[in-house]
Amino acid sequence: MDYLHIVGGHKLEGKVTISGAKNAALPLIAATIIAKNSVQISNLPNVQDIKTLLKLLYNLGATYTYNQNSSVQIDTTPISSTKATYDIVRTMRASILVLGPLLARFGQCEVSLPGGCAIGQRPIDLHLKALKQMGANISIKSGYVYAEAKKGLQGATIVFDKITVTGTENIIMAAALAKGKTTIINAAKEPEVVQLCEILHQSGVEISGIGGDEIVIHGTAGELLEIKPFSVIPDRIEAGTYLCAGAITQSTITLEKVIPAHLESILIKLQQMGFGILVKNSTITIKPARNIQPIEIITSEYPGFPTDMQAQFMALALLAEGTSIIEERLFENRFMHVAELRRFGANIQLKGNIATIIGPTQLYGADVMATDLRASSALVLAALAAQGASNIHRIYHLDRGYENLENKLNALGAKVTRLQEH
Ligand code: EPZ
């Protein structure tokens, strides 16, 4: 198993190029299941979660080839199996994204139930309820979701009781091939959902309300789509994490290939903390703060402050001159990083879903353990700011979602080495 050895206290400088968004690429790869052609996707991040989903498709019978420039060609026409097995789904919850498209194309499928994970129980009841409303028979047996819609899915009006990103994406893909009109009320508005809608729209599916909380889709009644080549949008969470790396080291760095509009809530919080932000076309430059101000954050759905940036801002708040409050509203157990941050010397009080961070803290290098993807990146940030050396263990979590993390950080002047546990 690999771990990262980080010598903290170094200023960063220069430019970093942001990769394609993992959470946009995952539903888009799943959407190739409802394509009649071989689909070319570029700006694909080279991260473990993407490889896992490609392997899942391969196991179903699809083929894919990597081309140059982070692009992949996926052909799902030879799919012969409709069973997403436990061994893959258990390694990545987002595998549930194949449920909607498999059911829509084949009229039946079996997908292993994704279990809970480090950040919470994460049920899929809303995905299943919506598919039932579209005419699917759904049962759960021996840890698998069995879904059947022999005569095809029917358009329906779906009201999500809670905003769900992958739930919305699953239903958008299912609705694209359903008969008639589907209206999704209380849909997720994340840029990743928007890109999925746009690509399906460009592939001939009639979709309106893109980017809003009510999406209307007229399905093709089973006809597969001609999906043209496209490029994945930049990763706003990777971008936010690098902005925090610049901030926590009080450095000036520039992010390239970003969509600044997707980062608005993050940029506002950084400005409130006193950091300079310069936006120019597809670049963002962050500059040091004179005094780092404490912050109040409540996570929420897009365009609110993303839960996927909560841990990184907690690391940053450790250096703020005063008391910061962070409230996690999306996941019930997304504070696993608190115990690890305390190893660096953090003073954090936890009460339910509210963390009170008392700064400023002098951080000292420590041995810490990554617990989930974004929690891990918070540990890397704390290590960059800490005095002395740190070891971040179990970094397979980081490899799921951050492309080339140590190389990108080292190119900015950090001292990060990937080593192997004995
Ligand atoms: C997506 O997860 C992201 N994953 C997560 O990113 C992200 O944290 C999350 O959205 C919130 O923004 C992908 O896009 C692949 P939800 P998702 O369904 O879709 C509850 C990362 O680090 N809920 O929007 O699984 C749920 O428990 C990952 O990259 C139900 O109750 O999240 C949660 O409290 C981690 N029933 C809330 O809704 C359901 O059927 C929002 O979850 C579905 C969800």
Side-chain angles (χ1 to χ4, degrees):
M1 223 189 292
D2 292 353
Y3 69 99
L4 290 183
H5 179 75
I6 301 179
V7 180
H10 293 278
K11 285 248 188 250
L12 307 182
E13 65 169 329
K15 295 176 179 169
V16 56
T17 301
I18 298 307
S19 302
K22 163 182 86 78
N23 288 349
L26 290 169
L28 290 164
I29 291 172
T32 65
I33 293 173
I34 51 171
K36 62 179 158 204
N37 59 315
S38 159
V39 182
Q40 189 190 317
I41 306 181
S42 52
N43 201 32
L44 201 66
N46 184 13
V47 296
Q48 191 53 45
D49 274 9
I50 299 299
K51 292 178 194 156
T52 303
L53 187 56
L54 288 172
K55 178 150 184 262
L56 194 163
L57 293 192
Y58 178 80
N59 288 353
L60 299 177
T63 58
Y64 64 90
T65 39
Y66 277 106
N67 309 318
Q68 298 208 310
N69 303 331
S70 314
S71 112
V72 74
Q73 189 83 31
I74 307 172
D75 185 0
T76 63
T77 52
I79 285 185
S80 52
S81 160
T82 54
K83 182 170 180 173
T85 53
Y86 172 75
D87 54 325
I88 291 234
V89 178
R90 78 184 169 91
T91 64
M92 187 183 69
R93 290 186 45 84
S95 309
I96 194 64
L97 283 165
V98 301
L99 177 65
L102 278 179
L103 180 61
R105 173 168 157 195
F106 296 100
Q108 56 112 50
C109 65
E110 290 166 56
V111 178
S112 176
L113 262 182
C117 72
I119 64 175
Q121 290 184 37
R122 306 183 71 186
I124 53 157
D125 56 315
L126 301 174
H127 302 229
L128 303 184
K129 193 172 150 197
L131 289 172
K132 279 185 196 163
Q133 279 180 266
M134 297 177 76
N137 282 318
I138 302 223
S139 57
I140 293 174
K141 217 167 49 193
S142 306
Y144 277 80
V145 176
Y146 289 81
E148 206 181 73
K150 286 284 182 223
K151 291 186 190 144
L153 292 166
Q154 289 289 341
T157 299
I158 312 289
V159 183
F160 278 121
D161 295 333
K162 219 177 191 179
I163 299 176
T164 160
V165 175
T166 49
T168 302
E169 290 163 348
N170 241 334
I171 300 313
I172 289 168
M173 292 184 278
L177 246 60
K179 287 190 203 98
K181 171 178 154 187
T182 298
T183 304
I184 306 176
I185 296 170
N186 205 23
K189 299 194 283 272
E190 271 66 5
E192 296 77 20
V193 177
V194 170
Q195 187 174 29
L196 175 66
C197 288
E198 282 169 350
I199 298 303
L200 295 181
H201 185 58
Q202 285 160 24
S203 310
V205 182
E206 214 182 296
I207 305 187
S208 57
I210 297 178
D213 50 19
E214 188 169 321
I215 303 174
V216 179
I217 301 162
H218 292 268
T220 64
E223 196 189 324
L224 296 175
L225 313 178
E226 172 92 32
I227 302 184
K228 299 190 184 73
F230 64 86
S231 174
V232 177
I233 56 170
D235 195 317
R236 65 196 166 98
I237 305 300
E238 188 200 23
T241 305
Y242 281 99
L243 288 172
C244 286
I248 206 164
T249 54
Q250 285 280 30
S251 306
T252 298
I253 62 168
T254 297
L255 277 50
E256 295 191 313
K257 275 179 91 174
V258 287
I259 299 179
H262 292 171
L263 283 127
E264 219 155 280
S265 63
I266 297 167
L267 298 180
I268 287 170
K269 292 293 175 194
L270 287 167
Q271 279 168 330
Q272 285 173 1
M273 292 183 90
F275 298 100
I277 297 289
L278 201 78
V279 173
K280 206 170 159 202
N281 306 322
S282 60
T283 70
I284 304 175
T285 300
I286 182 156
K287 297 184 169 179
R290 207 164 291 155
N291 299 301
I292 304 179
Q293 298 302 312
I295 194 80
E296 284 186 21
I297 288 174
I298 299 176
T299 63
S300 78
E301 297 85 1
Y302 190 85
F305 186 89
T307 172
D308 289 348
M309 283 303 301
Q310 178 257 104
Q312 299 91 316
F313 267 74
M314 191 179 295
L316 189 51
L318 298 173
L319 302 193
E321 297 186 12
T323 300
S324 299
I325 312 268
I326 298 184
E327 184 174 340
E328 172 57 54
R329 289 250 181 109
L330 266 79
F331 293 109
E332 65 272 21
N333 190 28
R334 209 169 192 182
F335 279 144
M336 301 277 280
H337 42 284
V338 170
E340 298 304 304
L341 287 174
R342 284 184 183 134
R343 292 179 186 272
F344 293 101
N347 185 356
I348 304 171
Q349 290 162 8
L350 258 191
K351 207 167 178 196
N353 65 337
I354 299 177
T356 304
I357 303 107
I358 298 140
T361 316
Q362 171 61 56
L363 303 175
Y364 294 99
D367 273 74
V368 291
M369 200 158 71
T371 49
D372 75 72
L373 173 57
R374 309 304 170 186
S376 319
S377 63
L379 302 181
V380 171
L381 294 174
L384 292 176
Q387 191 179 312
S390 299
N391 297 309
I392 321 278
H393 301 277
R394 300 207 180 170
I395 53 156
Y396 54 84
H397 290 291
L398 278 170
D399 294 335
R400 293 183 54 179
Y402 288 95
E403 181 172 61
N404 256 333
L405 181 77
E406 67 267 29
N407 294 340
K408 286 189 182 186
L409 283 173
N410 287 339
L412 290 169
K415 303 279 174 268
V416 185
T417 321
R418 182 180 285 255
L419 297 167
Q420 288 218 313
E421 309 271 7
H422 294 298

